[in-house]
PDB file of all heavy atoms in Angstrom:
ATOM      1  N   TRP K  82      14.799   2.318 -26.323  1.00 94.00           N
ATOM      2  CA  TRP K  82      14.483   2.534 -24.903  1.00 94.00           C
ATOM      3  C   TRP K  82      13.372   3.494 -24.773  1.00 94.00           C
ATOM      4  O   TRP K  82      12.546   3.337 -23.900  1.00 94.00           O
ATOM      5  CB  TRP K  82      15.747   3.035 -24.202  1.00 94.00           C
ATOM      6  CG  TRP K  82      16.614   1.965 -23.729  1.00 94.00           C
ATOM      7  CD1 TRP K  82      17.767   1.542 -24.239  1.00 94.00           C
ATOM      8  CD2 TRP K  82      16.431   1.129 -22.629  1.00 94.00           C
ATOM      9  NE1 TRP K  82      18.283   0.474 -23.589  1.00 94.00           N
ATOM     10  CE2 TRP K  82      17.542   0.240 -22.547  1.00 94.00           C
ATOM     11  CE3 TRP K  82      15.394   1.009 -21.625  1.00 94.00           C
ATOM     12  CZ2 TRP K  82      17.626  -0.758 -21.532  1.00 94.00           C
ATOM     13  CZ3 TRP K  82      15.511   0.041 -20.656  1.00 94.00           C
ATOM     14  CH2 TRP K  82      16.637  -0.813 -20.646  1.00 94.00           C
ATOM     15  N   THR K  83      13.263   4.495 -25.645  1.00 95.00           N
ATOM     16  CA  THR K  83      12.176   5.426 -25.492  1.00 95.00           C
ATOM     17  C   THR K  83      10.835   4.745 -25.769  1.00 95.00           C
ATOM     18  O   THR K  83       9.879   5.011 -25.042  1.00 95.00           O
ATOM     19  CB  THR K  83      12.387   6.537 -26.551  1.00 95.00           C
ATOM     20  OG1 THR K  83      13.654   7.187 -26.359  1.00 95.00           O
ATOM     21  CG2 THR K  83      11.338   7.617 -26.452  1.00 95.00           C
ATOM     22  N   TRP K  84      10.760   3.855 -26.751  1.00 96.00           N
ATOM     23  CA  TRP K  84       9.512   3.176 -27.018  1.00 96.00           C
ATOM     24  C   TRP K  84       9.127   2.262 -25.887  1.00 96.00           C
ATOM     25  O   TRP K  84       7.972   2.131 -25.552  1.00 96.00           O
ATOM     26  CB  TRP K  84       9.631   2.411 -28.364  1.00 96.00           C
ATOM     27  CG  TRP K  84       9.419   3.275 -29.558  1.00 96.00           C
ATOM     28  CD1 TRP K  84      10.360   3.592 -30.468  1.00 96.00           C
ATOM     29  CD2 TRP K  84       8.279   3.981 -29.916  1.00 96.00           C
ATOM     30  NE1 TRP K  84       9.908   4.449 -31.363  1.00 96.00           N
ATOM     31  CE2 TRP K  84       8.608   4.729 -31.122  1.00 96.00           C
ATOM     32  CE3 TRP K  84       6.980   4.160 -29.405  1.00 96.00           C
ATOM     33  CZ2 TRP K  84       7.654   5.518 -31.784  1.00 96.00           C
ATOM     34  CZ3 TRP K  84       6.070   4.930 -30.061  1.00 96.00           C
ATOM     35  CH2 TRP K  84       6.400   5.627 -31.162  1.00 96.00           C
ATOM     36  N   VAL K  85      10.093   1.642 -25.332  1.00 96.00           N
ATOM     37  CA  VAL K  85       9.878   0.639 -24.192  1.00 96.00           C
ATOM     38  C   VAL K  85       9.281   1.471 -23.011  1.00 96.00           C
ATOM     39  O   VAL K  85       8.287   1.132 -22.363  1.00 96.00           O
ATOM     40  CB  VAL K  85      11.095  -0.109 -23.791  1.00 96.00           C
ATOM     41  CG1 VAL K  85      10.923  -0.809 -22.463  1.00 96.00           C
ATOM     42  CG2 VAL K  85      11.455  -1.110 -24.885  1.00 96.00           C
ATOM     43  N   LEU K  86       9.954   2.580 -22.652  1.00 96.00           N
ATOM     44  CA  LEU K  86       9.524   3.424 -21.541  1.00 96.00           C
ATOM     45  C   LEU K  86       8.154   4.028 -21.813  1.00 96.00           C
ATOM     46  O   LEU K  86       7.351   4.127 -20.883  1.00 96.00           O
ATOM     47  CB  LEU K  86      10.592   4.502 -21.232  1.00 96.00           C
ATOM     48  CG  LEU K  86      11.899   3.913 -20.697  1.00 96.00           C
ATOM     49  CD1 LEU K  86      12.899   4.990 -20.538  1.00 96.00           C
ATOM     50  CD2 LEU K  86      11.743   3.157 -19.418  1.00 96.00           C
ATOM     51  N   LEU K  87       7.879   4.460 -23.013  1.00 97.00           N
ATOM     52  CA  LEU K  87       6.604   5.033 -23.328  1.00 97.00           C
ATOM     53  C   LEU K  87       5.494   3.967 -23.278  1.00 97.00           C
ATOM     54  O   LEU K  87       4.377   4.237 -22.846  1.00 97.00           O
ATOM     55  CB  LEU K  87       6.615   5.678 -24.767  1.00 97.00           C
ATOM     56  CG  LEU K  87       7.282   7.033 -24.848  1.00 97.00           C
ATOM     57  CD1 LEU K  87       7.377   7.497 -26.331  1.00 97.00           C
ATOM     58  CD2 LEU K  87       6.555   8.049 -24.003  1.00 97.00           C
ATOM     59  N   GLY K  88       5.831   2.754 -23.696  1.00 96.00           N
ATOM     60  CA  GLY K  88       4.891   1.646 -23.590  1.00 96.00           C
ATOM     61  C   GLY K  88       4.507   1.319 -22.169  1.00 96.00           C
ATOM     62  O   GLY K  88       3.375   1.118 -21.834  1.00 96.00           O
ATOM     63  N   LEU K  89       5.523   1.305 -21.308  1.00 96.00           N
ATOM     64  CA  LEU K  89       5.328   1.034 -19.847  1.00 96.00           C
ATOM     65  C   LEU K  89       4.459   2.173 -19.282  1.00 96.00           C
ATOM     66  O   LEU K  89       3.483   1.898 -18.476  1.00 96.00           O
ATOM     67  CB  LEU K  89       6.617   1.021 -19.108  1.00 96.00           C
ATOM     68  CG  LEU K  89       7.440  -0.249 -19.310  1.00 96.00           C
ATOM     69  CD1 LEU K  89       8.796  -0.126 -18.639  1.00 96.00           C
ATOM     70  CD2 LEU K  89       6.739  -1.456 -18.866  1.00 96.00           C
ATOM     71  N   ALA K  90       4.744   3.405 -19.605  1.00 96.00           N
ATOM     72  CA  ALA K  90       3.925   4.522 -19.151  1.00 96.00           C
ATOM     73  C   ALA K  90       2.472   4.429 -19.620  1.00 96.00           C
ATOM     74  O   ALA K  90       1.518   4.698 -18.876  1.00 96.00           O
ATOM     75  CB  ALA K  90       4.564   5.853 -19.499  1.00 96.00           C
ATOM     76  N   ALA K  91       2.324   4.039 -20.879  1.00 96.00           N
ATOM     77  CA  ALA K  91       0.948   3.907 -21.462  1.00 96.00           C
ATOM     78  C   ALA K  91       0.160   2.828 -20.718  1.00 96.00           C
ATOM     79  O   ALA K  91      -1.009   3.038 -20.465  1.00 96.00           O
ATOM     80  CB  ALA K  91       1.062   3.606 -22.943  1.00 96.00           C
ATOM     81  N   ILE K  92       0.848   1.749 -20.368  1.00 96.00           N
ATOM     82  CA  ILE K  92       0.099   0.684 -19.663  1.00 96.00           C
ATOM     83  C   ILE K  92      -0.217   1.074 -18.272  1.00 96.00           C
ATOM     84  O   ILE K  92      -1.368   0.913 -17.827  1.00 96.00           O
ATOM     85  CB  ILE K  92       0.964  -0.620 -19.658  1.00 96.00           C
ATOM     86  CG1 ILE K  92       1.003  -1.278 -21.013  1.00 96.00           C
ATOM     87  CG2 ILE K  92       0.472  -1.600 -18.636  1.00 96.00           C
ATOM     88  CD1 ILE K  92       1.918  -2.354 -21.190  1.00 96.00           C
ATOM     89  N   MET K  93       0.674   1.689 -17.574  1.00 96.00           N
ATOM     90  CA  MET K  93       0.424   2.107 -16.223  1.00 96.00           C
ATOM     91  C   MET K  93      -0.594   3.236 -16.103  1.00 96.00           C
ATOM     92  O   MET K  93      -1.622   3.070 -15.340  1.00 96.00           O
ATOM     93  CB  MET K  93       1.708   2.535 -15.497  1.00 96.00           C
ATOM     94  CG  MET K  93       2.790   1.441 -15.427  1.00 96.00           C
ATOM     95  SD  MET K  93       2.233  -0.045 -14.655  1.00 96.00           S
ATOM     96  CE  MET K  93       2.066   0.498 -12.967  1.00 96.00           C
TER      97      MET K  93
END
Side-chain angles (χ1 to χ4, degrees):
W82 274 103
T83 303
W84 283 112
V85 168
L86 294 175
L87 284 174
L89 289 173
I92 288 174
M93 298 305 293

